[in-house]
Amino acid sequence: MKTTIREIYKETEKYLNNEVVLEGWIRTSRSSKTFGFLELNDGTFFKNIQIVFEESLENFKEVEKLPLSSSIMVKGILVPTPEAKQPFEIKASEIEIEGYSTADYPLQKKRHTFEYMRTIAHLRPRANTFNAVFRVRSILAYAIHKFFQERGFVYVHTPIVTASDAEGAGEMFRVSTLDFHNIPMNDKKEIDFTKDFFGKETSLTVSGQLEGEAFALAYKDIYTFGPTFRAENSNTARHAAEFWMIEPEIAFADINDDMQLAEDMMKYIIKYVMENAKEEVEFFNSFVDKGLIERLENVVNSDFGRITYTEAVELLQKSGEEFQYPVEWGMDLQTEHERYLSEKVFKKPVFVVDYPKEIKAFYMRLNDDGKTVAAMDLLVPGVGEIIGGSQREERLELLEQKIIENGMDPEDYWWYLELRKFGGTKHAGYGLGFERAVMYITGMTNIRDVIPFPRTVKSAEF
Amino acid sequence: MKTTIREIYKETEKYLNNEVVLEGWIRTSRSSKTFGFLELNDGTFFKNIQIVFEESLENFKEVEKLPLSSSIMVKGILVPTPEAKQPFEIKASEIEIEGYSTADYPLQKKRHTFEYMRTIAHLRPRANTFNAVFRVRSILAYAIHKFFQERGFVYVHTPIVTASDAEGAGEMFRVSTLDFHNIPMNDKKEIDFTKDFFGKETSLTVSGQLEGEAFALAYKDIYTFGPTFRAENSNTARHAAEFWMIEPEIAFADINDDMQLAEDMMKYIIKYVMENAKEEVEFFNSFVDKGLIERLENVVNSDFGRITYTEAVELLQKSGEEFQYPVEWGMDLQTEHERYLSEKVFKKPVFVVDYPKEIKAFYMRLNDDGKTVAAMDLLVPGVGEIIGGSQREERLELLEQKIIENGMDPEDYWWYLELRKFGGTKHAGYGLGFERAVMYITGMTNIRDVIPFPRTVKSAEF
């Protein structure tokens, strides 16, 4: 019967000693005069299945010369192989060639650098490492939806094209249909965006939070999961111009509820991936990041630490550690500080809360001390910051004042302010960079290697 | 105990005659001298819960004057009300005011037009119709993920910013960080896109299909679910500039497998929404579209029809019906024809297959007749086309030729062509416009009313 490699590994008993039909791609091939072996992968499972074919096969000569990645249909009996590494193999009675490959197929047996693999992003999911990465990416995405939907959160598609700047921080991509050869100008010698598609200046969103807040104040619990964009000119292993973000927002909730949600979510999604991508996680643990499983289990099994920013600063100052950036109250914590806190002090994930208001965004709620805001970052061993969130300023006058202090125009935020006017409540939320989460769970260290077709400075291939 | 309105409706027995604590927003309010009623909604459930409060309440005077949409915490006993319309109500012992609203709150009891509601998109999810729409949207999105993930499909995030044009059809938004006051030019007086962020001309994607194919040829079964964009200057009830699309792609599969998948998916997701958004679907059936539930049940319970384009044309020509657009072989079917086929002829969803090659995209597989391609559209009663798909041309030479015939440059599609060179297989896929699906399942007739913050010609508010 027609089946898949996943099916055969999951329900071996059902298929053993029966005839099966598989379709897939040849991963490796070797043969002698009278018989040959193929490793077949059909994309449904991380592991391959071994195909044995013998001289008696009608097209033996043709099959043994098939270039790697040729696609075939195999019919044969699944037999146990108690003496071999693999638990079973297929004795082929028929092999039909579906699509030929060529001798210059780029993914030959030898190892390639990740840099090279980026130049063949259309083929790299056929290689073990990337096959594992992108299946984990898919399963992780589903785990996130599952977590929130099971808790009754409403999934909101916040807009991608936007006329506002959620962070008030610039670095946005402009979206336009204006003719670049002939940009229209108005009387004041300004660009006449009324002629543009949307009738105003528009950009790609950097965050769906503000719109998410509007929905949280209708549904109580919501989340977004969509692409966001930063036109940041930083060519690092952790920055991409296009990345996906998850932003839950919860009403009738404060910063402590927010941290609890983040902790529950992290545990849930890691556990889900470990259970549903077992083979992939084991592969990463063996070949990409030796301590991976231990680190992930530590996250699932420990209560996350909590410390205020002020306590953290004192602790870092007294640590005796020589940091590249000396620690001082009022500064933003650097990755070296974040990692020291989670790896050396807590040895587990830790929330740092109540940051100086000057280094945080305008919408974060001012604490009673007048100096800090109810912001939280989740720091994890091996990475540093993975989640950033806050309780939102629900007090209309304070928010309005903050907008003005930040040199922004309250009129641009009329609807955001109205959320505080018409039955506002305390509410909070956070952002999880999806690619950071994929990197964390796979041990991959370059963001370009966890995005199917990455977009970075000077690169938008495929 | 602290709970939600959803919990109370789902597990009434557990809460009845016990003290409960709820937080939510006041939907309606009326009172006499000694007592009052509030309808409270907390966003977790479509229905409200009635709160009875009496003079004995410490802040009775204040509570009875609270403007609509004020947010409150209520403590009280949940009591059965066998003689009333609603099954139970809460006798409040304490009401705490969390956030005041004002008398000019725009959503007063009177009905507003959908047009007006679009101007208050930040508040409209608090109104019944839109609350139902956006919860259905969320549940439908999850149903789609669930359907594909349960079948082992890999979810792929195809790129949003792209340097290629998947449809070869133009109408794209440009993405740029160039200074519009000073567009750089090269020696040949062309725009110098090497100076742009990505080092080349880039736009917003119109489809993730081509990249999806690359992943299907590694994983066998994949799907995309992400935003897509059309800079089309059409101001209709069915067009938005930004919309979400689902694009599954399956390898070792032909056009018949493709149709089977589409049929299975449609039935699954409709069933899931009917089961998991029961109250919302009933509301739509009563107040938005009287025949809705019957129509949806018909989809779930019938085998979809199948007819070739050529048969469909003959059938329409012989129908005796007077169409605005007379039917002729070679033309694209119009909505009037599509609706006639599904509503009058089949009275259920119907696939039309094998369209003339001239009216379909370059990547669709040429049939043996040399005149048609293996394309399919799914037509549904009440709407017309909801899904479009095809088997893809897997034969390298034919595909290359088609690209040239379409005036495109094969070099721009080098990687797409390589998918046919290195072990191509027969494969197929389709696209489902997510908003069309939401409209179909809710009965809403304007796409602006099923997108949280719609983007259309001359409009990108919020």
Side-chain angles (χ1 to χ4, degrees), chain A residues 144-169:
Chain A
I144 288 164
H145 282 296
K146 205 162 181 308
F147 172 81
F148 287 115
Q149 295 269 344
E150 284 173 0
R151 277 155 191 75
F153 282 58
V154 169
Y155 177 32
V156 185
H157 289 132
T158 50
I160 311 299
V161 175
T162 176
S164 71
D165 181 353
E167 296 285 333

Side-chain angles (χ1 to χ4, degrees), chain A residues 114-177:
Chain A
F114 287 169
E115 286 76 16
Y116 171 71
M117 297 296 271
R118 285 173 212 147
T119 68
I120 50 166
H122 60 310
L123 302 175
R124 67 178 178 169
R126 304 180 188 194
N128 273 338
T129 305
F130 293 96
N131 195 270
V133 165
F134 295 120
R135 198 187 316 273
V136 164
R137 187 178 166 111
S138 167
I139 289 169
L140 181 63
Y142 186 55
I144 288 164
H145 282 296
K146 205 162 181 308
F147 172 81
F148 287 115
Q149 295 269 344
E150 284 173 0
R151 277 155 191 75
F153 282 58
V154 169
Y155 177 32
V156 185
H157 289 132
T158 50
I160 311 299
V161 175
T162 176
S164 71
D165 181 353
E167 296 285 333
E171 306 208 302
M172 296 172 83
F173 290 100
R174 190 175 275 153
V175 172
S176 177
T177 55

Side-chain angles (χ1 to χ4, degrees), chain A residues 197-243:
Chain A
F197 187 90
F198 294 108
K200 54 168 71 172
E201 188 176 0
T202 51
S203 311
L204 292 177
T205 185
V206 297
S207 161
Q209 182 201 312
L210 306 195
E211 289 91 354
E213 285 183 53
F215 271 62
L217 292 170
Y219 290 105
K220 189 166 178 284
D221 296 331
I222 66 97
Y223 69 108
T224 75
F225 189 168
T228 49
F229 304 83
R230 296 280 156 89
E232 219 177 318
N233 205 343
S234 36
N235 213 344
T236 81
R238 288 169 63 79
H239 289 87
E242 175 181 321
F243 55 98

Side-chain angles (χ1 to χ4, degrees), chain A residues 23-25 42-44 69-72 98-102 104-106 119 122-123 125-126 130-131 134-135 137-138 141-142 145-146 149 153-163 172-178 180-181 183 185 189 191 193-200 202 204 211 214-220 225-227 229-232 241-242 244 251-252 414-415 418-419 421-426 434 452-453 455-462, chain B residues 23-25 42-44 69-72 98-102 104-106 119 122-123 125-126 130-131 134-135 137-139 141-142 145-146 149 153-163 172-178 180-181 183 185 189 191 193-200 202 204 211 214-220 225-227 229-232 241-242 244 251-252 414-415 418-419 421-426 434 452-453 455-462:
Chain A
E23 294 169 311
W25 294 270
D42 71 355
T44 64
S69 198
S70 296
S71 58
I72 57 174
E98 162 103 13
Y100 291 90
S101 183
T102 59
D104 62 338
Y105 177 63
T119 68
H122 60 310
L123 302 175
R126 304 180 188 194
F130 293 96
N131 195 270
F134 295 120
R135 198 187 316 273
R137 187 178 166 111
S138 167
Y142 186 55
H145 282 296
K146 205 162 181 308
Q149 295 269 344
F153 282 58
V154 169
Y155 177 32
V156 185
H157 289 132
T158 50
I160 311 299
V161 175
T162 176
M172 296 172 83
F173 290 100
R174 190 175 275 153
V175 172
S176 177
T177 55
L178 291 180
F180 277 24
H181 284 286
I183 301 282
M185 294 288 179
K189 302 234 163 148
I191 297 157
F193 285 109
T194 65
K195 300 266 179 13
D196 211 340
F197 187 90
F198 294 108
K200 54 168 71 172
T202 51
L204 292 177
E211 289 91 354
F215 271 62
L217 292 170
Y219 290 105
K220 189 166 178 284
F225 189 168
F229 304 83
R230 296 280 156 89
E232 219 177 318
E242 175 181 321
W244 286 62
F252 299 106
W414 68 271
W415 61 270
E418 278 197 0
L419 299 176
K421 192 179 160 195
F422 299 130
T425 74
K426 63 175 182 293
F434 182 59
F453 301 94
R455 270 75 182 102
T456 55
V457 186
K458 299 294 168 203
S459 174
E461 305 305 316
F462 303 99
Chain B
E23 294 169 312
W25 294 270
D42 70 355
T44 65
S69 198
S70 296
S71 58
I72 57 174
E98 162 99 14
Y100 291 90
S101 183
T102 59
D104 62 340
Y105 177 63
T119 69
H122 61 309
L123 302 176
R126 304 180 187 193
F130 294 96
N131 196 270
F134 295 119
R135 196 188 316 271
R137 187 177 167 112
S138 167
I139 288 170
Y142 186 56
H145 282 296
K146 205 161 182 303
Q149 295 269 344
F153 282 58
V154 170
Y155 177 31
V156 185
H157 288 131
T158 50
I160 311 301
V161 175
T162 178
M172 296 172 81
F173 290 101
R174 190 175 274 153
V175 172
S176 176
T177 56
L178 291 180
F180 277 24
H181 284 286
I183 300 283
M185 294 289 178
K189 302 233 164 148
I191 296 156
F193 284 110
T194 66
K195 301 263 175 18
D196 210 341
F197 187 90
F198 294 109
K200 54 169 70 173
T202 51
L204 292 178
E211 290 90 355
F215 271 63
L217 291 171
Y219 290 105
K220 191 167 178 280
F225 190 167
F229 305 84
R230 296 281 157 89
E232 221 177 317
E242 175 181 319
W244 286 63
F252 299 107
W414 68 270
W415 62 269
E418 278 196 1
L419 299 177
K421 191 178 161 195
F422 299 131
T425 74
K426 63 176 185 290
F434 182 60
F453 301 93
R455 269 74 182 103
T456 54
V457 187
K458 300 293 169 204
S459 174
E461 305 307 316
F462 304 98

